[in-house]
Amino acid sequence: TKEAGFEALKRFGEKWGKKYSYAVKSWENNWESLSTFFKYPEEIRKLIYTTNPIESYNRAVKKVIKTKGNFPSDEALLKLIYLSTMDLEKKWQHKQKDWNGVMSNLIIYFEERNTRFL
């Protein structure tokens, strides 16, 4: 919950506040923005804090971009990222546990952004 998260942040600050004062202060000052995470159901929260797929995607896109050198325009770069994403999507094998439930929640919370899957 949001309250439990804030209590954990306070405990973290007590333990690590001297060593990481800037980070703790930043988190405390921006708690309202950071805590929006808690308004979503557990399925969506798990997607938010699980970064391995995102890091893997970023690494694959960087690999493609790095081999191409310069781009004549921003549009050319965006097209390459789009095409590499389409290729990567074909290779994705691992399915998120209970993906149908996750997708249902994503459609409810982000209906205006998620028209591709409707």
Side-chain angles (χ1 to χ4, degrees):
T1 66
K2 184 176 179 178
E3 295 77 22
F6 189 69
E7 289 301 317
L9 177 59
K10 286 197 300 191
R11 286 192 308 275
F12 179 84
E14 291 167 3
K15 182 175 182 178
W16 296 100
K18 289 183 181 175
K19 187 172 184 179
Y20 301 106
S21 62
Y22 185 75
V24 171
K25 191 175 195 178
S26 174
W27 293 339
E28 289 173 347
N29 290 341
N30 294 295
W31 178 248
E32 284 308 310
S33 295
L34 294 171
S35 64
T36 57
F37 169 85
F38 292 106
K39 77 178 184 179
Y40 301 111
E42 187 175 340
E43 296 88 359
I44 293 178
R45 285 189 288 184
K46 186 172 182 182
L47 284 178
I48 292 170
Y49 69 72
T50 304
T51 61
N52 287 343
I54 296 167
E55 291 168 0
S56 175
Y57 170 74
N58 287 338
R59 184 175 47 253
V61 170
K62 284 180 185 178
K63 184 177 177 182
V64 170
I65 291 171
K66 188 177 180 181
T67 61
K68 301 300 179 199
N70 294 332
F71 296 93
S73 67
D74 289 347
E75 186 176 351
L77 174 61
L78 289 173
K79 285 180 181 180
L80 181 63
I81 292 171
Y82 173 80
L83 292 173
S84 66
T85 300
M86 293 300 102
D87 284 342
L88 288 169
E89 192 175 27
K90 293 174 192 172
K91 298 175 186 176
W92 290 335
Q93 304 264 327
H94 180 71
K95 294 280 186 185
Q96 173 73 27
K97 185 179 175 185
D98 187 29
W99 180 246
N100 290 335
V102 171
M103 185 54 67
S104 296
N105 279 306
L106 287 171
I107 290 170
I108 291 167
Y109 282 92
F110 302 102
E111 183 177 0
E112 72 283 356
R113 298 185 200 177
N114 202 358
T115 58
R116 178 175 174 212
F117 300 104
L118 295 176

PDB file of all heavy atoms in Angstrom, residues 30-41:
ATOM      1  N   ASN A  30       9.614  13.835  -3.544  1.00  0.00           N
ATOM      2  CA  ASN A  30       8.814  13.471  -4.719  1.00  0.00           C
ATOM      3  C   ASN A  30       7.891  12.290  -4.444  1.00  0.00           C
ATOM      4  O   ASN A  30       7.449  11.623  -5.384  1.00  0.00           O
ATOM      5  CB  ASN A  30       9.745  13.148  -5.893  1.00  0.00           C
ATOM      6  CG  ASN A  30      10.511  14.364  -6.336  1.00  0.00           C
ATOM      7  OD1 ASN A  30       9.926  15.329  -6.811  1.00  0.00           O
ATOM      8  ND2 ASN A  30      11.823  14.347  -6.141  1.00  0.00           N
ATOM      9  N   TRP A  31       7.598  12.041  -3.173  1.00  0.00           N
ATOM     10  CA  TRP A  31       6.805  10.875  -2.810  1.00  0.00           C
ATOM     11  C   TRP A  31       5.446  10.843  -3.509  1.00  0.00           C
ATOM     12  O   TRP A  31       5.002   9.789  -3.955  1.00  0.00           O
ATOM     13  CB  TRP A  31       6.622  10.798  -1.295  1.00  0.00           C
ATOM     14  CG  TRP A  31       5.764   9.629  -0.915  1.00  0.00           C
ATOM     15  CD1 TRP A  31       4.521   9.671  -0.380  1.00  0.00           C
ATOM     16  CD2 TRP A  31       6.076   8.247  -1.092  1.00  0.00           C
ATOM     17  NE1 TRP A  31       4.035   8.403  -0.207  1.00  0.00           N
ATOM     18  CE2 TRP A  31       4.978   7.501  -0.641  1.00  0.00           C
ATOM     19  CE3 TRP A  31       7.168   7.561  -1.592  1.00  0.00           C
ATOM     20  CZ2 TRP A  31       4.943   6.115  -0.658  1.00  0.00           C
ATOM     21  CZ3 TRP A  31       7.133   6.171  -1.622  1.00  0.00           C
ATOM     22  CH2 TRP A  31       6.036   5.471  -1.158  1.00  0.00           C
ATOM     23  N   GLU A  32       4.785  11.965  -3.641  1.00  0.00           N
ATOM     24  CA  GLU A  32       3.457  11.967  -4.274  1.00  0.00           C
ATOM     25  C   GLU A  32       3.532  11.468  -5.719  1.00  0.00           C
ATOM     26  O   GLU A  32       2.667  10.725  -6.163  1.00  0.00           O
ATOM     27  CB  GLU A  32       2.815  13.347  -4.204  1.00  0.00           C
ATOM     28  CG  GLU A  32       2.266  13.694  -2.843  1.00  0.00           C
ATOM     29  CD  GLU A  32       1.320  12.626  -2.284  1.00  0.00           C
ATOM     30  OE1 GLU A  32       0.391  12.196  -2.996  1.00  0.00           O
ATOM     31  OE2 GLU A  32       1.515  12.221  -1.129  1.00  0.00           O
ATOM     32  N   SER A  33       4.553  11.861  -6.438  1.00  0.00           N
ATOM     33  CA  SER A  33       4.713  11.380  -7.819  1.00  0.00           C
ATOM     34  C   SER A  33       5.109   9.906  -7.845  1.00  0.00           C
ATOM     35  O   SER A  33       4.590   9.122  -8.642  1.00  0.00           O
ATOM     36  CB  SER A  33       5.778  12.192  -8.549  1.00  0.00           C
ATOM     37  OG  SER A  33       5.362  13.519  -8.696  1.00  0.00           O
ATOM     38  N   LEU A  34       6.044   9.541  -6.976  1.00  0.00           N
ATOM     39  CA  LEU A  34       6.507   8.151  -6.940  1.00  0.00           C
ATOM     40  C   LEU A  34       5.420   7.195  -6.478  1.00  0.00           C
ATOM     41  O   LEU A  34       5.366   6.048  -6.926  1.00  0.00           O
ATOM     42  CB  LEU A  34       7.720   8.029  -6.008  1.00  0.00           C
ATOM     43  CG  LEU A  34       8.987   8.757  -6.444  1.00  0.00           C
ATOM     44  CD1 LEU A  34      10.010   8.736  -5.333  1.00  0.00           C
ATOM     45  CD2 LEU A  34       9.549   8.146  -7.704  1.00  0.00           C
ATOM     46  N   SER A  35       4.559   7.651  -5.604  1.00  0.00           N
ATOM     47  CA  SER A  35       3.560   6.756  -5.023  1.00  0.00           C
ATOM     48  C   SER A  35       2.367   6.501  -5.945  1.00  0.00           C
ATOM     49  O   SER A  35       1.497   5.700  -5.592  1.00  0.00           O
ATOM     50  CB  SER A  35       3.086   7.301  -3.674  1.00  0.00           C
ATOM     51  OG  SER A  35       2.440   8.535  -3.847  1.00  0.00           O
ATOM     52  N   THR A  36       2.303   7.134  -7.098  1.00  0.00           N
ATOM     53  CA  THR A  36       1.213   6.819  -8.037  1.00  0.00           C
ATOM     54  C   THR A  36       1.262   5.352  -8.445  1.00  0.00           C
ATOM     55  O   THR A  36       0.259   4.776  -8.853  1.00  0.00           O
ATOM     56  CB  THR A  36       1.272   7.692  -9.302  1.00  0.00           C
ATOM     57  OG1 THR A  36       2.539   7.532  -9.924  1.00  0.00           O
ATOM     58  CG2 THR A  36       1.038   9.144  -8.969  1.00  0.00           C
ATOM     59  N   PHE A  37       2.435   4.751  -8.308  1.00  0.00           N
ATOM     60  CA  PHE A  37       2.647   3.327  -8.541  1.00  0.00           C
ATOM     61  C   PHE A  37       1.608   2.485  -7.798  1.00  0.00           C
ATOM     62  O   PHE A  37       1.142   1.476  -8.295  1.00  0.00           O
ATOM     63  CB  PHE A  37       4.075   3.011  -8.066  1.00  0.00           C
ATOM     64  CG  PHE A  37       4.444   1.574  -7.959  1.00  0.00           C
ATOM     65  CD1 PHE A  37       4.893   0.883  -9.063  1.00  0.00           C
ATOM     66  CD2 PHE A  37       4.384   0.914  -6.742  1.00  0.00           C
ATOM     67  CE1 PHE A  37       5.268  -0.436  -8.970  1.00  0.00           C
ATOM     68  CE2 PHE A  37       4.752  -0.407  -6.641  1.00  0.00           C
ATOM     69  CZ  PHE A  37       5.199  -1.091  -7.751  1.00  0.00           C
ATOM     70  N   PHE A  38       1.231   2.912  -6.596  1.00  0.00           N
ATOM     71  CA  PHE A  38       0.348   2.115  -5.753  1.00  0.00           C
ATOM     72  C   PHE A  38      -1.113   2.169  -6.174  1.00  0.00           C
ATOM     73  O   PHE A  38      -1.921   1.400  -5.655  1.00  0.00           O
ATOM     74  CB  PHE A  38       0.484   2.556  -4.291  1.00  0.00           C
ATOM     75  CG  PHE A  38       1.823   2.234  -3.704  1.00  0.00           C
ATOM     76  CD1 PHE A  38       2.760   3.231  -3.495  1.00  0.00           C
ATOM     77  CD2 PHE A  38       2.157   0.934  -3.379  1.00  0.00           C
ATOM     78  CE1 PHE A  38       3.997   2.938  -2.966  1.00  0.00           C
ATOM     79  CE2 PHE A  38       3.387   0.632  -2.848  1.00  0.00           C
ATOM     80  CZ  PHE A  38       4.317   1.628  -2.642  1.00  0.00           C
ATOM     81  N   LYS A  39      -1.482   3.039  -7.098  1.00  0.00           N
ATOM     82  CA  LYS A  39      -2.888   3.097  -7.511  1.00  0.00           C
ATOM     83  C   LYS A  39      -3.244   1.975  -8.484  1.00  0.00           C
ATOM     84  O   LYS A  39      -4.408   1.730  -8.745  1.00  0.00           O
ATOM     85  CB  LYS A  39      -3.230   4.461  -8.111  1.00  0.00           C
ATOM     86  CG  LYS A  39      -2.756   4.695  -9.520  1.00  0.00           C
ATOM     87  CD  LYS A  39      -3.207   6.070 -10.012  1.00  0.00           C
ATOM     88  CE  LYS A  39      -2.822   6.275 -11.453  1.00  0.00           C
ATOM     89  NZ  LYS A  39      -3.253   7.554 -11.948  1.00  0.00           N
ATOM     90  N   TYR A  40      -2.229   1.295  -9.006  1.00  0.00           N
ATOM     91  CA  TYR A  40      -2.467   0.216  -9.967  1.00  0.00           C
ATOM     92  C   TYR A  40      -2.549  -1.129  -9.263  1.00  0.00           C
ATOM     93  O   TYR A  40      -1.958  -1.325  -8.205  1.00  0.00           O
ATOM     94  CB  TYR A  40      -1.351   0.174 -11.006  1.00  0.00           C
ATOM     95  CG  TYR A  40      -1.211   1.465 -11.766  1.00  0.00           C
ATOM     96  CD1 TYR A  40      -0.102   2.286 -11.607  1.00  0.00           C
ATOM     97  CD2 TYR A  40      -2.209   1.883 -12.633  1.00  0.00           C
ATOM     98  CE1 TYR A  40       0.018   3.480 -12.292  1.00  0.00           C
ATOM     99  CE2 TYR A  40      -2.100   3.078 -13.323  1.00  0.00           C
ATOM    100  CZ  TYR A  40      -0.982   3.866 -13.145  1.00  0.00           C
ATOM    101  OH  TYR A  40      -0.876   5.049 -13.808  1.00  0.00           O
ATOM    102  N   PRO A  41      -3.248  -2.090  -9.873  1.00  0.00           N
ATOM    103  CA  PRO A  41      -3.308  -3.432  -9.287  1.00  0.00           C
ATOM    104  C   PRO A  41      -1.935  -4.111  -9.360  1.00  0.00           C
ATOM    105  O   PRO A  41      -1.044  -3.692 -10.093  1.00  0.00           O
ATOM    106  CB  PRO A  41      -4.338  -4.162 -10.150  1.00  0.00           C
ATOM    107  CG  PRO A  41      -4.516  -3.359 -11.368  1.00  0.00           C
ATOM    108  CD  PRO A  41      -4.065  -1.970 -11.074  1.00  0.00           C
TER     109      PRO A  41
END
